[in-house]
Amino acid sequence: MSTLAANAPGAAGGGLSDVAASEATLRRFLHGLPGVDQVGLESRAATLGTRSIKTTAKALAIDLAISMIDLTTLEGADTVGKVRSLCAKGLNPDPSDRSVPQVAAICVYPDMVATAKEALRGSGVQVASVATAFPSGRAGLPVKLADTAEAVAAGADEIDMVIDRGAFLSGRYLEVFETIVAVKAACARPDGSSAHLKVIFETGELQTYDNVRRASWLAMIAGADFIKTSTGKVAVNATPPVTLLMLEAVRDFRAATGVQVGVKPAGGIRTTKDAMKYLVMVNETLGDDWLDPHWFRFGASSLLNDLLMQRQKLSTGRYSGPDYVTVD
């Protein structure tokens, strides 16, 4: 067990159920987490970014990265036709090569879930939906729960909620915690199953690495199935140091509780080279357990086209231009 996990309240008993008993206990726990060594974290992330993947392994890594993508459209101008087109691309990313794997999920607004669900029926590709007043997270709890319930009722397999950063930065940790717990409950279906819950921090607005660590533990204790860096709607999205910090958090959380939680960096990951750096980071920090779409995702729709072009180059020796792939 890591030092962080060993120092966590309740870690010796395999649980953290007492941590959120009150605002005071939750604050004491979160502020009792070891401070982040900024220099060490950034140096480690930079070092991992220099690792190379050889040609034979690169082909496997490209396919793995494709299978980890949440292909996303979250625009006010989204239409039924656009969502269906995106689903077709997710099912068959390269029409000229049927060996290309499907993506992990298609992510849309709640009102487009039914359209995506129908287009993906029987494929195994998940339908994810943003909820809880995405991307601001600024709405009353009844609105957030209604948003979530609408998406789940329409068939969403996964819910991507966003925390209220204002509440978190103001130190209202229990409010954020209780919101996550309530949204998690709203993910339940009448048949006893439940949509998986991804909790978005918008790390570019959390100001410090210590806050990212605190948000990670808060969300996991509250029941998050995934922790996610960003909405992709602000200037600073996923970065290697922040993602590394979140990977370390899920590693330590599993050591403390036995519960495995996934990680999703989102926003700003555009090239195959970027994706390879993140996969190396996952492998070096967490090992094979997390090198699977069930536990690691890329929120990076533009990444898919570059992966497809690099994949073709490896198989044919020729590099195709952007006209080789569809425009999302």
Side-chain angles (χ1 to χ4, degrees), residues 30-262:
L30 294 177
H31 283 265
L33 294 170
V36 178
D37 175 0
Q38 178 177 346
V39 174
L41 177 69
E42 294 176 351
S43 175
R44 173 68 172 161
T47 298
L48 291 174
T50 65
R51 305 280 174 85
S52 61
I53 297 179
K54 304 306 179 186
T55 302
T56 52
K58 186 175 181 180
L60 296 174
I62 286 174
D63 279 2
L64 179 59
I66 291 172
S67 75
M68 290 174 163
I69 288 177
D70 284 0
L71 200 56
T72 303
T73 183
L74 297 171
E75 302 297 336
D78 285 344
T79 63
V80 168
K82 182 177 180 181
V83 170
R84 286 176 177 163
S85 176
L86 197 69
C87 290
K89 182 170 183 175
L91 290 171
N92 188 15
D94 183 354
S96 71
D97 186 350
R98 295 288 179 169
S99 69
V100 177
Q102 298 176 337
V103 300
I106 302 295
C107 186
V108 295
Y109 276 116
D111 64 317
M112 289 293 178
V113 167
T115 297
K117 195 71 177 178
E118 178 61 30
L120 298 170
R121 190 175 304 279
S123 68
V125 176
Q126 303 293 287
V127 176
S129 179
V130 296
T132 66
F134 178 94
S136 70
R138 303 303 293 268
L141 184 58
V143 172
K144 292 180 178 181
L145 297 182
D147 205 20
T148 303
E150 176 189 349
V152 173
D157 302 295
E158 302 171 359
I159 295 294
D160 288 32
M161 72 164 288
V162 58
I163 67 168
D164 180 342
R165 280 85 71 198
F168 181 88
L169 292 171
S170 298
R172 305 199 308 272
Y173 301 131
L174 192 60
E175 178 183 328
V176 178
F177 175 89
E178 290 176 342
T179 299
I180 296 170
V181 170
V183 173
K184 174 79 170 180
C187 289
R189 304 187 187 93
D191 65 2
S193 63
S194 183
H196 281 197
L197 179 62
K198 304 191 196 87
V199 178
I200 309 169
F201 302 144
E202 202 69 286
T203 52
E205 295 185 345
L206 290 189
Q207 302 176 355
T208 69
Y209 289 133
D210 286 333
N211 278 339
V212 173
R213 175 172 279 173
R214 290 169 187 149
S216 297
W217 277 83
L218 186 155
M220 292 187 290
I221 295 167
D225 297 299
F226 258 78
I227 54 175
K228 177 178 171 182
T229 62
S230 322
T231 63
K233 301 295 186 181
V234 298
V236 179
N237 294 291
T239 66
V242 159
T243 304
L244 176 58
L245 180 56
M246 291 168 63
L247 294 174
E248 291 174 346
V250 299
R251 177 198 64 197
D252 294 335
F253 186 78
R254 189 175 75 168
T257 66
V259 177
Q260 186 163 335
V261 176

